[in-house]
PDB file of all heavy atoms in Angstrom:
ATOM      1  N   ILE A 256     -27.320  -7.214  -0.123  1.00 97.00           N
ATOM      2  CA  ILE A 256     -27.609  -7.385   1.312  1.00 97.00           C
ATOM      3  C   ILE A 256     -27.810  -6.051   2.003  1.00 97.00           C
ATOM      4  O   ILE A 256     -28.795  -5.823   2.704  1.00 97.00           O
ATOM      5  CB  ILE A 256     -26.475  -8.182   1.997  1.00 97.00           C
ATOM      6  CG1 ILE A 256     -26.232  -9.498   1.270  1.00 97.00           C
ATOM      7  CG2 ILE A 256     -26.809  -8.441   3.453  1.00 97.00           C
ATOM      8  CD1 ILE A 256     -25.042 -10.284   1.800  1.00 97.00           C
ATOM      9  N   CYS A 257     -26.868  -5.125   1.825  1.00 97.00           N
ATOM     10  CA  CYS A 257     -26.940  -3.847   2.552  1.00 97.00           C
ATOM     11  C   CYS A 257     -28.164  -3.035   2.137  1.00 97.00           C
ATOM     12  O   CYS A 257     -28.856  -2.474   2.982  1.00 97.00           O
ATOM     13  CB  CYS A 257     -25.650  -3.062   2.303  1.00 97.00           C
ATOM     14  SG  CYS A 257     -25.406  -1.667   3.422  1.00 97.00           S
ATOM     15  N   ARG A 258     -28.456  -2.973   0.856  1.00 96.00           N
ATOM     16  CA  ARG A 258     -29.615  -2.201   0.405  1.00 96.00           C
ATOM     17  C   ARG A 258     -30.917  -2.852   0.846  1.00 96.00           C
ATOM     18  O   ARG A 258     -31.871  -2.147   1.216  1.00 96.00           O
ATOM     19  CB  ARG A 258     -29.575  -2.056  -1.117  1.00 96.00           C
ATOM     20  CG  ARG A 258     -30.795  -1.386  -1.722  1.00 96.00           C
ATOM     21  CD  ARG A 258     -31.068  -0.033  -1.069  1.00 96.00           C
ATOM     22  NE  ARG A 258     -30.092   0.979  -1.420  1.00 96.00           N
ATOM     23  CZ  ARG A 258     -29.985   2.155  -0.789  1.00 96.00           C
ATOM     24  NH1 ARG A 258     -30.766   2.441   0.243  1.00 96.00           N
ATOM     25  NH2 ARG A 258     -29.069   3.028  -1.166  1.00 96.00           N
ATOM     26  N   GLU A 259     -30.983  -4.167   0.856  1.00 96.00           N
ATOM     27  CA  GLU A 259     -32.221  -4.842   1.265  1.00 96.00           C
ATOM     28  C   GLU A 259     -32.486  -4.670   2.753  1.00 96.00           C
ATOM     29  O   GLU A 259     -33.644  -4.673   3.178  1.00 96.00           O
ATOM     30  CB  GLU A 259     -32.159  -6.326   0.909  1.00 96.00           C
ATOM     31  CG  GLU A 259     -32.086  -6.605  -0.586  1.00 96.00           C
ATOM     32  CD  GLU A 259     -33.320  -6.126  -1.331  1.00 96.00           C
ATOM     33  OE1 GLU A 259     -34.379  -5.960  -0.709  1.00 96.00           O
ATOM     34  OE2 GLU A 259     -33.230  -5.911  -2.558  1.00 96.00           O
ATOM     35  N   PHE A 260     -31.448  -4.501   3.557  1.00 97.00           N
ATOM     36  CA  PHE A 260     -31.654  -4.213   4.976  1.00 97.00           C
ATOM     37  C   PHE A 260     -32.009  -2.745   5.204  1.00 97.00           C
ATOM     38  O   PHE A 260     -32.577  -2.404   6.242  1.00 97.00           O
ATOM     39  CB  PHE A 260     -30.394  -4.571   5.779  1.00 97.00           C
ATOM     40  CG  PHE A 260     -30.336  -6.001   6.234  1.00 97.00           C
ATOM     41  CD1 PHE A 260     -29.572  -6.928   5.544  1.00 97.00           C
ATOM     42  CD2 PHE A 260     -31.049  -6.430   7.333  1.00 97.00           C
ATOM     43  CE1 PHE A 260     -29.511  -8.253   5.948  1.00 97.00           C
ATOM     44  CE2 PHE A 260     -31.006  -7.747   7.757  1.00 97.00           C
ATOM     45  CZ  PHE A 260     -30.235  -8.669   7.059  1.00 97.00           C
ATOM     46  N   HIS A 261     -31.668  -1.860   4.254  1.00 97.00           N
ATOM     47  CA  HIS A 261     -31.977  -0.427   4.358  1.00 97.00           C
ATOM     48  C   HIS A 261     -32.537   0.035   3.015  1.00 97.00           C
ATOM     49  O   HIS A 261     -31.866   0.790   2.291  1.00 97.00           O
ATOM     50  CB  HIS A 261     -30.725   0.363   4.738  1.00 97.00           C
ATOM     51  CG  HIS A 261     -29.974  -0.201   5.918  1.00 97.00           C
ATOM     52  ND1 HIS A 261     -30.315   0.069   7.211  1.00 97.00           N
ATOM     53  CD2 HIS A 261     -28.900  -1.049   5.974  1.00 97.00           C
ATOM     54  CE1 HIS A 261     -29.489  -0.558   8.034  1.00 97.00           C
ATOM     55  NE2 HIS A 261     -28.618  -1.253   7.295  1.00 97.00           N
ATOM     56  N   PRO A 262     -33.758  -0.382   2.668  1.00 96.00           N
ATOM     57  CA  PRO A 262     -34.258  -0.162   1.297  1.00 96.00           C
ATOM     58  C   PRO A 262     -34.495   1.295   0.938  1.00 96.00           C
ATOM     59  O   PRO A 262     -34.383   1.653  -0.238  1.00 96.00           O
ATOM     60  CB  PRO A 262     -35.568  -0.961   1.280  1.00 96.00           C
ATOM     61  CG  PRO A 262     -35.956  -1.105   2.709  1.00 96.00           C
ATOM     62  CD  PRO A 262     -34.706  -1.146   3.499  1.00 96.00           C
ATOM     63  N   THR A 263     -34.786   2.157   1.889  1.00 95.00           N
ATOM     64  CA  THR A 263     -35.109   3.554   1.567  1.00 95.00           C
ATOM     65  C   THR A 263     -34.091   4.535   2.110  1.00 95.00           C
ATOM     66  O   THR A 263     -34.326   5.747   2.047  1.00 95.00           O
ATOM     67  CB  THR A 263     -36.494   3.909   2.122  1.00 95.00           C
ATOM     68  OG1 THR A 263     -36.492   3.741   3.558  1.00 95.00           O
ATOM     69  CG2 THR A 263     -37.573   3.026   1.517  1.00 95.00           C
ATOM     70  N   ARG A 264     -32.999   4.072   2.613  1.00 95.00           N
ATOM     71  CA  ARG A 264     -32.010   4.958   3.234  1.00 95.00           C
ATOM     72  C   ARG A 264     -31.252   5.720   2.159  1.00 95.00           C
ATOM     73  O   ARG A 264     -30.583   5.141   1.310  1.00 95.00           O
ATOM     74  CB  ARG A 264     -31.046   4.146   4.090  1.00 95.00           C
ATOM     75  CG  ARG A 264     -29.935   4.988   4.728  1.00 95.00           C
ATOM     76  CD  ARG A 264     -29.037   4.099   5.568  1.00 95.00           C
ATOM     77  NE  ARG A 264     -27.836   4.791   6.000  1.00 95.00           N
ATOM     78  CZ  ARG A 264     -26.846   4.210   6.674  1.00 95.00           C
ATOM     79  NH1 ARG A 264     -26.934   2.927   6.982  1.00 95.00           N
ATOM     80  NH2 ARG A 264     -25.782   4.909   7.025  1.00 95.00           N
ATOM     81  N   ALA A 265     -31.370   7.039   2.202  1.00 94.00           N
ATOM     82  CA  ALA A 265     -30.637   7.892   1.262  1.00 94.00           C
ATOM     83  C   ALA A 265     -29.289   8.291   1.875  1.00 94.00           C
ATOM     84  O   ALA A 265     -29.115   8.306   3.100  1.00 94.00           O
ATOM     85  CB  ALA A 265     -31.461   9.134   0.932  1.00 94.00           C
ATOM     86  N   GLY A 266     -28.356   8.631   1.014  1.00 94.00           N
ATOM     87  CA  GLY A 266     -27.039   9.059   1.499  1.00 94.00           C
ATOM     88  C   GLY A 266     -26.198   7.925   2.048  1.00 94.00           C
ATOM     89  O   GLY A 266     -25.226   8.186   2.762  1.00 94.00           O
ATOM     90  N   MET A 267     -26.521   6.675   1.733  1.00 96.00           N
ATOM     91  CA  MET A 267     -25.749   5.533   2.220  1.00 96.00           C
ATOM     92  C   MET A 267     -24.577   5.292   1.255  1.00 96.00           C
ATOM     93  O   MET A 267     -24.520   4.302   0.526  1.00 96.00           O
ATOM     94  CB  MET A 267     -26.641   4.288   2.320  1.00 96.00           C
ATOM     95  CG  MET A 267     -25.985   3.113   3.038  1.00 96.00           C
ATOM     96  SD  MET A 267     -27.142   1.768   3.407  1.00 96.00           S
ATOM     97  CE  MET A 267     -27.642   1.293   1.744  1.00 96.00           C
ATOM     98  N   PHE A 268     -23.646   6.226   1.273  1.00 97.00           N
ATOM     99  CA  PHE A 268     -22.554   6.218   0.308  1.00 97.00           C
ATOM    100  C   PHE A 268     -21.319   5.550   0.897  1.00 97.00           C
ATOM    101  O   PHE A 268     -21.098   5.567   2.120  1.00 97.00           O
ATOM    102  CB  PHE A 268     -22.222   7.634  -0.142  1.00 97.00           C
ATOM    103  CG  PHE A 268     -23.405   8.374  -0.709  1.00 97.00           C
ATOM    104  CD1 PHE A 268     -23.629   9.716  -0.403  1.00 97.00           C
ATOM    105  CD2 PHE A 268     -24.314   7.731  -1.547  1.00 97.00           C
ATOM    106  CE1 PHE A 268     -24.717  10.396  -0.923  1.00 97.00           C
ATOM    107  CE2 PHE A 268     -25.407   8.398  -2.080  1.00 97.00           C
ATOM    108  CZ  PHE A 268     -25.610   9.733  -1.764  1.00 97.00           C
ATOM    109  N   THR A 269     -20.492   4.999   0.022  1.00 97.00           N
ATOM    110  CA  THR A 269     -19.272   4.309   0.441  1.00 97.00           C
ATOM    111  C   THR A 269     -18.011   4.925  -0.153  1.00 97.00           C
ATOM    112  O   THR A 269     -16.906   4.516   0.197  1.00 97.00           O
ATOM    113  CB  THR A 269     -19.336   2.827   0.039  1.00 97.00           C
ATOM    114  OG1 THR A 269     -19.381   2.721  -1.390  1.00 97.00           O
ATOM    115  CG2 THR A 269     -20.568   2.156   0.633  1.00 97.00           C
ATOM    116  N   HIS A 270     -18.155   5.891  -1.056  1.00 97.00           N
ATOM    117  CA  HIS A 270     -16.982   6.496  -1.704  1.00 97.00           C
ATOM    118  C   HIS A 270     -17.218   7.994  -1.842  1.00 97.00           C
ATOM    119  O   HIS A 270     -18.318   8.437  -2.196  1.00 97.00           O
ATOM    120  CB  HIS A 270     -16.740   5.880  -3.088  1.00 97.00           C
ATOM    121  CG  HIS A 270     -15.721   6.641  -3.891  1.00 97.00           C
ATOM    122  ND1 HIS A 270     -16.071   7.471  -4.944  1.00 97.00           N
ATOM    123  CD2 HIS A 270     -14.369   6.711  -3.789  1.00 97.00           C
ATOM    124  CE1 HIS A 270     -14.980   8.012  -5.453  1.00 97.00           C
ATOM    125  NE2 HIS A 270     -13.946   7.575  -4.782  1.00 97.00           N
ATOM    126  N   TRP A 271     -16.164   8.771  -1.573  1.00 95.00           N
ATOM    127  CA  TRP A 271     -16.209  10.225  -1.692  1.00 95.00           C
ATOM    128  C   TRP A 271     -14.943  10.695  -2.396  1.00 95.00           C
ATOM    129  O   TRP A 271     -13.850  10.189  -2.130  1.00 95.00           O
ATOM    130  CB  TRP A 271     -16.296  10.877  -0.309  1.00 95.00           C
ATOM    131  CG  TRP A 271     -17.483  10.419   0.489  1.00 95.00           C
ATOM    132  CD1 TRP A 271     -18.720  10.997   0.561  1.00 95.00           C
ATOM    133  CD2 TRP A 271     -17.533   9.274   1.351  1.00 95.00           C
ATOM    134  NE1 TRP A 271     -19.539  10.287   1.396  1.00 95.00           N
ATOM    135  CE2 TRP A 271     -18.840   9.219   1.890  1.00 95.00           C
ATOM    136  CE3 TRP A 271     -16.625   8.285   1.697  1.00 95.00           C
ATOM    137  CZ2 TRP A 271     -19.241   8.227   2.764  1.00 95.00           C
ATOM    138  CZ3 TRP A 271     -17.026   7.277   2.564  1.00 95.00           C
ATOM    139  CH2 TRP A 271     -18.315   7.266   3.095  1.00 95.00           C
ATOM    140  N   GLU A 272     -15.085  11.659  -3.261  1.00 91.00           N
ATOM    141  CA  GLU A 272     -13.948  12.166  -4.014  1.00 91.00           C
ATOM    142  C   GLU A 272     -13.043  12.977  -3.098  1.00 91.00           C
ATOM    143  O   GLU A 272     -13.467  13.982  -2.513  1.00 91.00           O
ATOM    144  CB  GLU A 272     -14.427  13.024  -5.179  1.00 91.00           C
ATOM    145  CG  GLU A 272     -13.331  13.504  -6.104  1.00 91.00           C
ATOM    146  CD  GLU A 272     -12.598  12.369  -6.779  1.00 91.00           C
ATOM    147  OE1 GLU A 272     -13.273  11.488  -7.347  1.00 91.00           O
ATOM    148  OE2 GLU A 272     -11.354  12.369  -6.722  1.00 91.00           O
ATOM    149  N   GLN A 273     -11.790  12.559  -2.979  1.00 87.00           N
ATOM    150  CA  GLN A 273     -10.860  13.255  -2.089  1.00 87.00           C
ATOM    151  C   GLN A 273     -10.436  14.604  -2.643  1.00 87.00           C
ATOM    152  O   GLN A 273     -10.169  15.539  -1.882  1.00 87.00           O
ATOM    153  CB  GLN A 273      -9.627  12.384  -1.843  1.00 87.00           C
ATOM    154  CG  GLN A 273      -9.827  11.277  -0.824  1.00 87.00           C
ATOM    155  CD  GLN A 273      -8.532  10.547  -0.516  1.00 87.00           C
ATOM    156  OE1 GLN A 273      -7.706  10.342  -1.393  1.00 87.00           O
ATOM    157  NE2 GLN A 273      -8.351  10.135   0.729  1.00 87.00           N
ATOM    158  N   LYS A 274     -10.343  14.728  -3.950  1.00 83.00           N
ATOM    159  CA  LYS A 274      -9.833  15.966  -4.540  1.00 83.00           C
ATOM    160  C   LYS A 274     -10.711  17.160  -4.203  1.00 83.00           C
ATOM    161  O   LYS A 274     -10.222  18.289  -4.137  1.00 83.00           O
ATOM    162  CB  LYS A 274      -9.723  15.797  -6.056  1.00 83.00           C
ATOM    163  CG  LYS A 274      -8.711  14.754  -6.485  1.00 83.00           C
ATOM    164  CD  LYS A 274      -8.683  14.610  -7.988  1.00 83.00           C
ATOM    165  CE  LYS A 274      -7.698  13.534  -8.424  1.00 83.00           C
ATOM    166  NZ  LYS A 274      -7.694  13.342  -9.900  1.00 83.00           N
ATOM    167  N   ILE A 275     -11.997  16.927  -4.034  1.00 83.00           N
ATOM    168  CA  ILE A 275     -12.904  18.033  -3.724  1.00 83.00           C
ATOM    169  C   ILE A 275     -13.356  17.988  -2.268  1.00 83.00           C
ATOM    170  O   ILE A 275     -14.262  18.724  -1.874  1.00 83.00           O
ATOM    171  CB  ILE A 275     -14.130  18.022  -4.662  1.00 83.00           C
ATOM    172  CG1 ILE A 275     -14.902  16.704  -4.529  1.00 83.00           C
ATOM    173  CG2 ILE A 275     -13.704  18.258  -6.092  1.00 83.00           C
ATOM    174  CD1 ILE A 275     -16.191  16.661  -5.336  1.00 83.00           C
ATOM    175  N   ASN A 276     -12.724  17.096  -1.461  1.00 86.00           N
ATOM    176  CA  ASN A 276     -13.041  17.001  -0.033  1.00 86.00           C
ATOM    177  C   ASN A 276     -14.548  16.825   0.168  1.00 86.00           C
ATOM    178  O   ASN A 276     -15.189  17.573   0.917  1.00 86.00           O
ATOM    179  CB  ASN A 276     -12.532  18.242   0.707  1.00 86.00           C
ATOM    180  CG  ASN A 276     -12.482  18.021   2.211  1.00 86.00           C
ATOM    181  OD1 ASN A 276     -12.539  16.891   2.686  1.00 86.00           O
ATOM    182  ND2 ASN A 276     -12.375  19.103   2.965  1.00 86.00           N
ATOM    183  N   ALA A 277     -15.103  15.815  -0.493  1.00 89.00           N
ATOM    184  CA  ALA A 277     -16.554  15.643  -0.512  1.00 89.00           C
ATOM    185  C   ALA A 277     -17.092  14.831   0.659  1.00 89.00           C
ATOM    186  O   ALA A 277     -18.305  14.772   0.845  1.00 89.00           O
ATOM    187  CB  ALA A 277     -16.964  14.957  -1.821  1.00 89.00           C
ATOM    188  N   ARG A 278     -16.216  14.222   1.453  1.00 91.00           N
ATOM    189  CA  ARG A 278     -16.716  13.338   2.519  1.00 91.00           C
ATOM    190  C   ARG A 278     -17.431  14.070   3.646  1.00 91.00           C
ATOM    191  O   ARG A 278     -18.471  13.602   4.112  1.00 91.00           O
ATOM    192  CB  ARG A 278     -15.560  12.496   3.069  1.00 91.00           C
ATOM    193  CG  ARG A 278     -16.013  11.395   4.022  1.00 91.00           C
ATOM    194  CD  ARG A 278     -14.933  10.369   4.254  1.00 91.00           C
ATOM    195  NE  ARG A 278     -15.391   9.234   5.020  1.00 91.00           N
ATOM    196  CZ  ARG A 278     -14.704   8.108   5.174  1.00 91.00           C
ATOM    197  NH1 ARG A 278     -13.521   7.983   4.610  1.00 91.00           N
ATOM    198  NH2 ARG A 278     -15.192   7.117   5.899  1.00 91.00           N
ATOM    199  N   PRO A 279     -16.914  15.197   4.156  1.00 90.00           N
ATOM    200  CA  PRO A 279     -17.638  15.867   5.252  1.00 90.00           C
ATOM    201  C   PRO A 279     -19.066  16.229   4.891  1.00 90.00           C
ATOM    202  O   PRO A 279     -19.951  16.185   5.758  1.00 90.00           O
ATOM    203  CB  PRO A 279     -16.781  17.118   5.519  1.00 90.00           C
ATOM    204  CG  PRO A 279     -15.415  16.745   5.072  1.00 90.00           C
ATOM    205  CD  PRO A 279     -15.624  15.880   3.885  1.00 90.00           C
ATOM    206  N   GLY A 280     -19.331  16.600   3.658  1.00 90.00           N
ATOM    207  CA  GLY A 280     -20.692  16.931   3.239  1.00 90.00           C
ATOM    208  C   GLY A 280     -21.470  15.747   2.702  1.00 90.00           C
ATOM    209  O   GLY A 280     -22.611  15.908   2.248  1.00 90.00           O
ATOM    210  N   ASN A 281     -20.855  14.537   2.748  1.00 93.00           N
ATOM    211  CA  ASN A 281     -21.492  13.297   2.287  1.00 93.00           C
ATOM    212  C   ASN A 281     -21.978  13.421   0.842  1.00 93.00           C
ATOM    213  O   ASN A 281     -23.082  13.010   0.494  1.00 93.00           O
ATOM    214  CB  ASN A 281     -22.656  12.897   3.199  1.00 93.00           C
ATOM    215  CG  ASN A 281     -23.069  11.450   2.994  1.00 93.00           C
ATOM    216  OD1 ASN A 281     -22.264  10.603   2.596  1.00 93.00           O
ATOM    217  ND2 ASN A 281     -24.334  11.158   3.246  1.00 93.00           N
ATOM    218  N   PHE A 282     -21.105  13.950  -0.004  1.00 93.00           N
ATOM    219  CA  PHE A 282     -21.406  14.053  -1.420  1.00 93.00           C
ATOM    220  C   PHE A 282     -20.640  12.925  -2.106  1.00 93.00           C
ATOM    221  O   PHE A 282     -19.500  13.082  -2.524  1.00 93.00           O
ATOM    222  CB  PHE A 282     -20.971  15.419  -1.968  1.00 93.00           C
ATOM    223  CG  PHE A 282     -21.326  15.635  -3.413  1.00 93.00           C
ATOM    224  CD1 PHE A 282     -22.633  15.871  -3.794  1.00 93.00           C
ATOM    225  CD2 PHE A 282     -20.346  15.594  -4.394  1.00 93.00           C
ATOM    226  CE1 PHE A 282     -22.955  16.076  -5.131  1.00 93.00           C
ATOM    227  CE2 PHE A 282     -20.651  15.793  -5.723  1.00 93.00           C
ATOM    228  CZ  PHE A 282     -21.964  16.029  -6.095  1.00 93.00           C
ATOM    229  N   GLY A 283     -21.274  11.743  -2.193  1.00 95.00           N
ATOM    230  CA  GLY A 283     -20.567  10.575  -2.668  1.00 95.00           C
ATOM    231  C   GLY A 283     -21.453   9.636  -3.461  1.00 95.00           C
ATOM    232  O   GLY A 283     -22.466  10.031  -4.056  1.00 95.00           O
ATOM    233  N   SER A 284     -21.072   8.358  -3.459  1.00 96.00           N
ATOM    234  CA  SER A 284     -21.806   7.330  -4.187  1.00 96.00           C
ATOM    235  C   SER A 284     -21.605   5.988  -3.489  1.00 96.00           C
ATOM    236  O   SER A 284     -20.659   5.817  -2.704  1.00 96.00           O
ATOM    237  CB  SER A 284     -21.328   7.246  -5.639  1.00 96.00           C
ATOM    238  OG  SER A 284     -19.937   6.977  -5.683  1.00 96.00           O
TER     239      SER A 284
END
Side-chain angles (χ1 to χ4, degrees):
I256 306 174
C257 194
R258 175 54 71 193
E259 296 297 338
F260 273 100
H261 311 277
T263 60
R264 177 179 170 185
M267 190 170 62
F268 304 139
T269 64
H270 169 255
W271 303 267
E272 185 62 50
Q273 281 186 323
K274 295 178 182 178
I275 59 175
N276 196 16
R278 189 165 187 169
N281 196 27
F282 183 73
S284 58

